[in-house]
Amino acid sequence: MQKKTHIKKGDLVKVLAGEDRAKEGRVLEVDREKNRAIVEGLNINKKHSKPTTANPQGGIVEKEGPIHISNLMLIDPKGGKPTRVGRKVEKGGKLVRISKRTGEVIK
């Protein structure tokens, strides 16, 4: 069974630890099995690639690497500040994420 995470694809997050600490970016992908997320423009890794038909020049390719979810904090869409995330059951029985800072529902 996969564990629920406090961030989802498309969320704006702030990095709490590591080389990219205090930087912000949008989540491109979440791997719930490994508890990691790929954030746009952060944790850049360089990979040396040989020339291929798709990339005849070859060279060094820069790509985002995964960051552990515990090192990311969601930025509240309403307040614009980092917030903890809670869960609440709505009237229809649906589980929604709420901002601990403002109490607002996070879409």
Side-chain angles (χ1 to χ4, degrees):
M1 187 173 124
Q2 291 180 336
K3 192 174 138 184
K4 291 207 182 257
T5 59
H6 63 278
I7 61 167
K8 291 183 179 180
K9 179 179 174 181
D11 284 345
L12 193 62
V13 294
K14 183 174 184 174
V15 180
L16 300 176
E19 192 175 309
D20 291 322
R21 180 183 10 220
K23 292 183 183 174
E24 298 176 1
R26 195 154 300 278
V27 176
L28 299 175
E29 187 181 327
V30 176
D31 184 356
R32 294 193 315 183
E33 289 178 4
K34 295 182 181 176
N35 285 332
R36 294 186 173 268
I38 294 177
V39 182
E40 187 177 21
L42 300 179
N43 195 21
I44 299 294
N45 299 325
K46 292 186 178 185
K47 181 178 164 93
H48 296 259
S49 64
K50 287 187 173 181
T52 61
T53 53
N55 185 10
Q57 185 66 29
I60 301 170
V61 178
E62 292 188 348
K63 186 179 172 187
E64 291 98 354
I67 301 172
H68 199 274
I69 286 177
S70 66
N71 294 330
L72 299 174
M73 194 170 202
L74 182 74
I75 294 178
D76 192 357
K78 301 275 194 285
K81 292 185 177 179
T83 180
R84 291 174 295 142
V85 178
R87 288 192 179 79
K88 185 174 155 184
V89 179
E90 280 190 329
K91 291 180 183 173
K94 187 177 179 186
L95 197 65
V96 293
R97 298 182 300 163
I98 60 163
S99 166
K100 292 279 193 169
R101 184 182 287 267
T102 62
E104 299 279 330
V105 174
I106 300 168
K107 298 289 178 198

